[in-house]
Amino acid sequence: MKKKLFALLSISVLFFTTSCTSDDDSSEGPIGGIHPSGSYWPLALGNYWDFEPVNPADDDVDLEVQATETHNNQTYYSFDAASNNIGVGLLVRELNDVFIMYQRPMMQQGVTTSGGEIDFINLTNQPNVVWTDVLTMQITGAFNGNLNFNHEGKILPNETTMVVRGRTYQNVVKHQTTQTIFNSLSNVTQVVTSIYWLAKGIGPIKQEFVIDGETTVYELESYGLY
């Protein structure tokens, strides 16, 4: 199964780990309404978004907020129920329309990778104004090196009303992030381009990812908010 959705910080590549399934219960879909927080990606335990691929050959993807963790007195939300260095250890929080990713330190097979924070989605600028952020994660132990992450993002011009899979969404913003990841151990650079269409009070309604020249597109089929 492909597990390419939602860019994240990890040793091998920058993706959110998601669960793929062929089960779809569209009866719990966008009829659910808009979250009162007014966030472009409401984060709360139990919130979920189920996506269908535009290309039927790709797997559908279920994304659910499954856990929380406190770091530096801030609450982070995880799409992976695993914790304590099990799983990818990626967490997310929102601060005034900026979505910040935190990668907790990891240890695996005698290798320790330091953690850190980086902005992933920034909705505070006008369209086409580019923002940047960087993060260097140190690898020590059996091997020594760095993982260097350079993020560059911008809001793209977009109609505020959008139809996805026959449903009309209001207050939509389109955001693009280009992530350049350099691994000094392998001397390999990887570029990941992610585009999110986010509806205020609902979250992502469409996503497009370009990884190693391969493009995948997903559209929201159902969601639930708490």
Side-chain angles (χ1 to χ4, degrees):
M1 289 184 176
K2 295 182 179 179
K3 296 188 177 181
K4 292 185 174 180
L5 278 188
F6 298 96
L8 71 80
L9 307 175
S10 76
I11 291 179
S12 59
V13 73
L14 198 71
F15 306 126
F16 268 168
T17 296
T18 61
S19 59
C20 300
T21 177
S22 58
D23 252 347
D24 175 54
D25 183 4
S26 58
S27 64
E28 299 182 59
I31 313 290
I34 298 174
H35 198 274
S37 70
S39 170
Y40 280 95
W41 198 330
L43 297 172
L45 281 174
N47 285 1
Y48 70 87
W49 300 262
D50 296 344
F51 298 90
E52 291 285 338
V54 172
N55 180 359
D58 294 322
D59 294 302
D60 58 326
V61 174
D62 297 339
L63 182 70
E64 180 179 1
V65 180
Q66 299 187 47
T68 63
E69 183 173 315
T70 300
H71 172 70
N72 286 341
N73 296 318
Q74 300 292 334
T75 299
Y76 288 79
Y77 297 85
S78 175
F79 296 96
D80 183 354
S83 61
N84 299 322
N85 292 327
I86 303 173
V88 297
L90 179 78
L91 301 109
V92 185
R93 70 181 175 96
E94 180 186 1
L95 177 64
N96 300 326
D97 286 336
V98 178
F99 293 86
I100 303 165
M101 297 195 302
Y102 167 61
Q103 171 68 61
R104 76 162 66 88
M106 298 180 294
M107 178 179 291
Q108 187 175 18
Q109 297 180 344
V111 177
T112 299
T113 305
S114 66
E117 294 180 337
I118 195 167
D119 291 352
F120 177 58
I121 294 177
N122 187 328
L123 303 178
T124 62
N125 295 320
Q126 295 298 313
N128 291 322
V129 175
V130 176
W131 62 267
T132 61
D133 200 6
V134 297
L135 171 64
T136 297
M137 296 168 60
Q138 297 179 340
I139 304 171
T140 57
F143 305 98
N144 294 284
N146 294 314
L147 285 172
N148 299 320
F149 298 88
N150 291 275
H151 285 202
E152 180 178 285
K154 61 183 176 181
I155 295 174
L156 300 176
N158 182 61
E159 297 293 336
T160 58
T161 300
M162 186 174 180
V163 178
V164 177
R165 301 183 73 82
R167 298 183 177 100
T168 301
Y169 298 89
Q170 307 292 334
N171 299 317
V172 177
V173 63
K174 182 180 180 182
H175 186 280
Q176 174 180 296
T177 303
T178 300
Q179 304 150 308
T180 303
I181 311 108
F182 174 70
N183 187 330
S184 68
L185 295 178
S186 61
N187 198 34
V188 171
T189 297
Q190 184 169 40
V191 178
V192 178
T193 299
S194 310
I195 300 176
Y196 297 85
W197 288 259
L198 303 163
K200 193 170 187 178
I202 295 174
I205 59 173
K206 183 177 179 180
Q207 306 161 86
E208 178 179 311
F209 303 95
V210 182
I211 304 168
D212 295 332
E214 181 182 355
T215 300
T216 50
V217 180
Y218 297 86
E219 296 179 333
L220 184 66
E221 173 64 25
S222 64
Y223 71 88
L225 303 174
Y226 292 89

